[in-house]
Amino acid sequence: MTPRKPPKAEHTRELILTTALHLFVAHGYFATSVHDIRRAADLSIGSIYHHFSSKEAIARALYDELMARMTELVASASSEHKSSRLRGWSVAEQLCQAAQQEPEKVKFNLHARHHEFLPEAPPICSSRPFELMQEIVRDGIASGEIRPMDPIAASLALFGGVIRLIQMCLDDVLQQPATSYLEEVWEASWRGISS
């Protein structure tokens, strides 16, 4: 059985978002115009404005979609285990794999200064995925796996190195994929906060 093709409108919307993502990551939000997106997607300007009222609306749709995907990834990885250590490891591993599989999406999530063009969006570190990471840490403190400390500081210590590792791989500072370095980074992070 052949998979059903998405309706044309949905395909056009996805094409706009994929093209905008590529251009925003390659050139930056402010250096990309709706006309640049139109040209790269080979669409009419009317097609773009049929789906999105502005460049900011395109960026908002990307941000919302990518935050929802990241929330799902963190929640799913976290639900696989009971201990905070294994839950955190699973999240870190899934984030590294996402960076390898969908680098532009992860770059847009981590590198873009969203508050500059989406001023009403919460800062990335206050978004739902990061709240879920803090939950892992709070649960670890409550269970005694993580020593008593400020949960935000503990979250930074536990996941900050992993996020920086991903950024360095995405910026081609490190030549191997993030998963190649993850175990050492994770162990150092965990030792820093564990009881």
Side-chain angles (χ1 to χ4, degrees), residues 7-175:
K8 188 175 192 264
E10 187 178 319
H11 173 73
T12 302
R13 183 180 188 282
E14 287 307 309
L15 177 60
I16 294 165
L17 289 174
T18 302
T19 304
L21 174 66
H22 175 71
L23 294 173
F24 291 164
V25 169
H27 307 293
Y29 174 82
F30 292 107
T32 301
S33 70
V34 173
H35 288 282
D36 295 330
I37 297 167
R38 180 206 64 75
R39 265 190 305 281
D42 195 25
L43 294 169
S44 70
I45 200 76
S47 291
I48 291 178
Y49 283 115
H50 174 74
H51 293 279
F52 300 99
S53 60
S54 64
K55 182 173 73 167
E56 184 180 314
I58 295 170
R60 167 51 80 181
L62 270 174
Y63 177 85
D64 289 346
E65 187 178 295
L66 297 175
M67 280 296 116
R69 168 78 179 106
M70 193 170 169
T71 299
E72 178 186 303
L73 182 146
V74 172
S76 170
S78 176
S79 70
E80 294 173 2
H81 305 283
K82 292 197 185 296
S83 79
S84 292
R85 185 176 199 273
L86 291 176
R87 288 169 65 201
W89 165 259
S90 185
V91 167
E93 188 176 41
Q94 290 296 314
L95 290 173
C96 287
Q97 288 174 358
Q100 286 172 222
Q101 294 164 0
E102 303 174 303
E104 284 189 334
K105 290 180 179 181
V106 176
K107 276 185 182 182
F108 183 78
N109 272 353
L110 295 180
H111 287 172
R113 295 176 180 225
H114 302 101
H115 64 279
E116 290 180 355
F117 52 91
L118 298 172
E120 75 287 349
I124 194 87
C125 290
S126 299
S127 63
R128 185 65 184 141
F130 288 92
E131 288 174 355
L132 291 172
M133 290 179 201
Q134 287 179 25
E135 266 180 44
I136 293 170
V137 168
R138 283 189 183 91
D139 291 348
I141 292 169
S143 72
E145 278 184 273
I146 297 172
R147 62 186 166 85
M149 61 188 303
D150 181 277
I152 293 174
S155 298
L156 290 171
L158 187 58
F159 293 107
V162 172
I163 291 168
R164 187 66 186 130
L165 168 64
I166 290 168
Q167 288 174 321
M168 290 178 75
C169 288
L170 291 172
D171 290 343
D172 297 322
V173 174
L174 299 174
Q175 300 311 308

